């Protein structure tokens, strides 16, 4: 940990969330060093040769599932989708899931609707995989296969390190399925450290936005997951409206609500998705909105302000690191509002939906 982190460390409220954000490079090192834990899962998925992948998740984990959906579709060209657990739990459906890989993603592994979804999927012929932070959780026990994300105990209600540990674990699975060795992710801990060192800049930006009542958040491709997770963190910790859209969907209607003075958070890293954001960034700027961008030097230069992502990350792994400035932004905006982001009102660490 550097002196820069100590200078901006919250004195009381937010300390737990701040600490867990700062732990992420070490969590990634551990996940990379122990990537062999995923090899039995990889072998089982290869043997099953699924024709389709379905993800079941809630909240932050749903955004990890969205990221993995892009990975499977782009890297393996396997159709992938997101399950609505209520079709099983509330409506009592029992679809034929032969030749389908069902992946349930959950930090705690304790949500009854996800457990029931996995149990039903397994009975109906799916190969089931749980991705959790607790190997002894009901979800891990219900699935045939399990990946421990190795995030370590996470105490703050707003998930940070467990989210990026989920992303890394899902990336390593997909990378192993194509015969990779995780090399593209090797730069993550170093990049994460450099992003943590920019916290003071992010804090100042958050404090300038103290009176902002709402945000639009947008990104494309793999970074769609980042946009949705950034919006959720703002809603959880600052209790304000934050709506996330893909850059394409934004142009198909919601951009009508972007007027002069609107605040838009943009994710536009190097790669296909970042380049696809150019039209959206131009339209937002022409409408007179203020844009805060985390992304490539080109994208930040075309925005009102932003954080340039350090070089060295492929587009596939960029979401694991690019969320860090948004986590800090949510933390410090909450503190500027006088909130404690460690314990948001009305929320608990484990939400058990049915």
């Amino acid at each position: 940990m550097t002196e820069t982190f100590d200078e901006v460390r919250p004195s009381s409220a937010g300390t737990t969330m701040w600490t867990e954000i700062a732990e992420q490079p070490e969590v990634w090192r551990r996940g990379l060093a122990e990537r062999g834990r995923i090899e039995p899962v990889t072998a089982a998925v290869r043997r099953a040769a699924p024709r389709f992948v379905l993800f079941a998740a809630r909240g932050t984990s749903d955004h990890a599932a969205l990221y993995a959906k892009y990975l499977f579709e782009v890297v393996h060209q396997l159709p992938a989708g997101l399950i609505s657990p209520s079709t099983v739990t509330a409506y009592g459906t029992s679809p034929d899931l032969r030749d389908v890989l069902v992946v349930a993603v959950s930090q705690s592994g304790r949500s009854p609707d996800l457990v029931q979804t996995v149990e039903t999927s397994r009975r109906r012929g799916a190969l089931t995989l749980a991705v959790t932070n607790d190997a002894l959780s009901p979800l891990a026990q219900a699935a045939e296969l399990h990946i421990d994300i190795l995030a370590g105990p996470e105490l703050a209600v707003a998930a940070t390190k467990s989210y990026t540990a989920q992303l890394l674990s899902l990336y390593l699975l997909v990378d192993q399925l194509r015969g990779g060795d995780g090399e593209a992710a090797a730069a993550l801990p170093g990049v994460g450290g450099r992003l943590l060192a920019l916290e003071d800049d992010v804090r100042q930006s958050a404090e300038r936005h103290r009176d902002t009542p709402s945000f639009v958040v947008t990104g494309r491709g793999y970074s769609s997951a980042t946009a949705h997770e950034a919006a959720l963190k703002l809603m959880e910790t600052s209790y304000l409206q934050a709506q996330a859209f893909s850059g394409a969907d934004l142009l198909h209607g919601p951009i009508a609500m972007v007027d002069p003075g609107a605040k838009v958070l943009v994710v536009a890293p190097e790669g296909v998705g970042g380049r696809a954001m150019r039209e959206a960034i131009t339209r937002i700027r022409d409408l007179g909105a203020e844009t805060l961008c985390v992304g490539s030097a080109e994208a930040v230069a075309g925005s009102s302000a932003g954080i340039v992502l350090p070089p060295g990350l492929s587009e596939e792994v960029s979401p694991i690191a690019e969320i860090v400035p948004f986590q800090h932004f949510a933390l410090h905006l909450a503190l500027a509002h006088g909130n404690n982001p460690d314990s948001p009102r009305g929320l608990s660490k484990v939400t058990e939906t049915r």
Side-chain angles (χ1 to χ4, degrees):
M1 221 171 270
T2 70
E3 292 181 0
T4 302
F5 304 162
D6 292 337
E7 289 171 1
V8 296
R9 181 171 187 159
S11 58
S12 178
T15 299
T16 303
M17 183 178 176
W18 180 90
T19 299
E20 291 171 353
I21 293 171
E23 287 176 2
Q24 288 176 114
E26 184 56 37
V27 170
W28 304 340
R29 287 189 187 93
R30 183 164 60 244
L32 289 166
E34 299 186 33
R35 61 183 179 272
R37 74 193 188 282
I38 299 175
E39 290 173 0
V41 176
T42 304
V45 174
R46 281 188 179 136
R47 287 193 299 270
R51 295 286 299 159
F52 199 91
V53 185
L54 287 174
F55 293 92
R58 294 290 193 192
T60 284
S61 297
D62 203 33
H63 307 149
L66 177 60
Y67 165 72
K69 177 181 182 294
Y70 273 94
L71 282 173
F72 271 99
E73 290 182 335
V74 176
V75 174
H76 291 293
Q77 299 186 42
L78 277 179
L82 304 177
I83 292 174
S84 298
S86 62
T87 61
V88 172
T89 61
Y91 291 93
T93 62
S94 184
D96 183 348
L97 294 174
R98 288 172 292 179
D99 299 323
V100 175
L101 171 63
V102 171
V103 184
V105 188
S106 170
Q107 186 272 332
S108 70
R110 289 166 52 187
S111 189
D113 55 354
L114 297 183
V115 174
Q116 185 177 340
T117 297
V118 164
E119 290 172 341
T120 301
S121 299
R122 190 170 177 177
R123 285 197 305 270
R124 295 294 290 154
L127 176 65
T128 55
L129 164 63
V131 180
T132 80
N133 201 30
D134 183 356
L136 300 178
S137 65
L139 187 63
Q141 299 302 308
E144 296 159 86
L145 305 170
H146 177 252
I147 294 176
D148 190 335
I149 64 173
L150 302 179
E154 186 176 60
L155 302 178
V157 170
T160 53
K161 66 177 182 175
S162 66
Y163 172 68
T164 57
Q166 288 172 339
L167 298 190
L168 178 58
S169 295
L170 289 162
Y171 170 76
L172 290 173
L173 170 63
V174 172
D175 186 55
Q176 286 183 12
L177 285 170
R178 67 176 168 192
D181 60 2
E183 181 181 1
L188 276 170
V191 169
R194 291 195 287 278
L195 288 171
L196 289 173
L198 299 175
E199 181 186 2
D200 195 48
D201 292 339
V202 179
R203 177 184 60 79
Q204 292 177 36
S205 179
E207 290 175 350
R208 287 195 297 270
H209 286 84
R210 178 177 179 175
D211 296 325
T212 299
S214 63
F215 291 88
V216 172
V217 193
T218 182
R220 287 199 70 175
Y222 294 109
S223 294
S224 294
T226 307
H228 281 82
E229 176 60 12
L232 177 60
K233 285 293 158 284
L234 291 171
M235 290 187 283
E236 285 178 325
T237 59
S238 288
Y239 320 141
L240 48 75
Q241 296 183 43
Q243 299 189 68
F245 303 94
S246 82
D249 286 336
L250 182 67
L251 296 178
H252 278 268
I255 199 165
M257 68 179 176
V258 176
D259 54 18
K263 304 298 190 292
V264 182
L265 306 182
V266 177
V267 198
E270 296 283 356
V272 174
R275 290 193 294 273
M277 282 297 298
R278 290 171 180 168
E279 181 181 359
I281 293 172
T282 299
R283 288 279 301 279
I284 293 166
R285 184 183 60 224
D286 290 348
L287 288 169
E290 179 182 336
T291 53
L292 175 62
C293 177
V294 172
S296 67
E298 177 188 2
V300 171
S303 302
S304 307
I307 297 292
V308 176
L309 291 169
L313 289 184
S314 71
E315 183 179 11
E316 290 176 4
V317 299
S318 181
I320 303 171
E322 69 195 20
I323 189 62
V324 172
F326 294 108
Q327 292 171 340
H328 274 151
F329 187 83
L331 166 70
H332 289 292
L333 186 61
L335 293 174
H337 287 157
N339 303 332
N340 182 359
D342 291 340
S343 303
R345 68 189 185 200
L347 297 178
S348 60
K349 185 61 183 170
V350 178
T351 302
E352 298 184 0
T353 49
R354 298 183 183 275

